[in-house]
Amino acid sequence: SHNLPPGLEYLNQLDQIIIHQQVELLEAILGTETSSRYEIKNPLGQRVYFAVEENGCLDRGLCAPLRAFTMHIADPSGREVIRVTRPLRCACCCCPCLLQQLEVQSPPGTIAGYVVQNWHPFLPKFTIQNQSKEDVLKIIGPCATCGCFEDVDFEVKALNEMTTIGKISKYWSGFVNNVFTNTANFGIQVPVDLDVRIKAVMIGACFLI
């Protein structure tokens, strides 16, 4: 634990991470978004981080949800401990050379790992890589990722894709919440002893998903 990046001690003993998007009342009424803000909580509902998305208004208006962004994730003291960066890329399955990817830094300026989309004709598939760009885990989603009135699960698997070790879930939180406030609620379940840097990368994967 002495070698942990500053701020990641909050992830050290967690096997479940909850990410809740915050939407202000004015945004809900007008149907417009400013920069996205999120709370990142432990299983007890206690906030361990908060995140703010930085992007251009043009990106948000024309390219969402494919827009480039930088996500700044800070601990309760306000210190930025994780930075997630995604460039603007193509999402077309016909363009396997321009698939989605992002970089996770912790602390900012030091690579913790990467999330890379893998080409597949109908399944959303991603690879989690460590700071040396070595493959560590796979994430495989369902054919339909916009489930109506139900949760959507992305399975976290070993590299052989045979063993499931966790999941990333998008929780359906009710008609009013989804239609009128457009909030997102995600849960990450991983082994408690997973490297904390990879847990930080899993948070980045959640934002990419």
Side-chain angles (χ1 to χ4, degrees):
S1 61
H2 296 294
N3 296 322
L4 294 180
L8 291 197
E9 62 271 12
Y10 297 102
L11 296 178
N12 200 30
Q13 297 300 317
L14 290 186
D15 61 358
Q16 186 176 14
I17 302 163
I18 307 299
I19 299 179
H20 171 66
Q21 184 177 9
Q22 297 177 304
V23 176
E24 294 181 356
L25 180 61
L26 183 60
E27 294 178 13
I29 294 172
L30 298 179
T32 59
E33 281 186 85
T34 58
S35 292
S36 296
R37 298 172 302 281
Y38 301 85
E39 288 185 311
I40 300 173
K41 303 176 180 180
N42 64 21
L44 299 177
Q46 299 165 327
R47 187 174 75 176
V48 293
Y49 301 113
F50 60 91
V52 178
E53 178 185 343
E54 172 192 334
N55 61 56
C57 295
L58 184 62
D59 284 346
R60 176 172 290 276
L62 299 180
C63 305
L66 305 176
R67 61 185 178 270
F69 66 77
T70 298
M71 191 74 67
H72 303 279
I73 301 175
D75 67 11
S77 72
R79 172 184 56 176
E80 184 180 10
V81 296
I82 303 171
R83 182 176 297 168
V84 180
T85 304
R86 180 177 89 169
L88 179 64
R89 303 296 289 269
C90 174
C92 177
C93 65
C94 300
C95 300
C97 59
L98 292 174
L99 296 173
Q100 301 299 306
Q101 64 180 21
L102 58 75
E103 176 183 285
V104 180
Q105 301 174 7
S106 184
T110 301
I111 301 297
Y114 304 87
V115 185
V116 180
Q117 185 181 9
N118 308 128
W119 184 87
H120 193 280
F122 56 87
L123 288 179
K125 297 182 71 173
F126 304 87
T127 298
I128 300 293
Q129 298 178 330
N130 63 19
Q131 63 268 39
S132 301
K133 290 200 170 184
E134 298 167 333
D135 295 352
V136 176
L137 296 170
K138 296 283 187 177
I139 300 174
I140 302 176
C143 294
T145 59
C146 56
C148 296
F149 311 112
E150 61 183 15
D151 298 346
V152 177
D153 291 333
F154 288 72
E155 293 187 328
V156 180
K157 293 181 173 286
L159 291 179
N160 61 14
E161 299 187 10
M162 300 297 293
T163 305
T164 300
I165 67 161
K167 64 181 180 179
I168 296 177
S169 301
K170 181 176 182 181
Y171 299 124
W172 184 75
S173 50
F175 177 81
V176 173
N177 201 26
N178 272 321
V179 175
F180 293 104
T181 65
N182 196 33
T183 59
N185 294 283
F186 290 88
I188 303 171
Q189 295 182 31
V190 291
V192 68
D193 59 352
L194 185 68
D195 186 302
V196 290
R197 294 171 181 82
I198 300 302
K199 290 182 184 180
V201 177
M202 293 294 294
I203 293 174
C206 193
F207 288 122
L208 182 60
I209 290 172

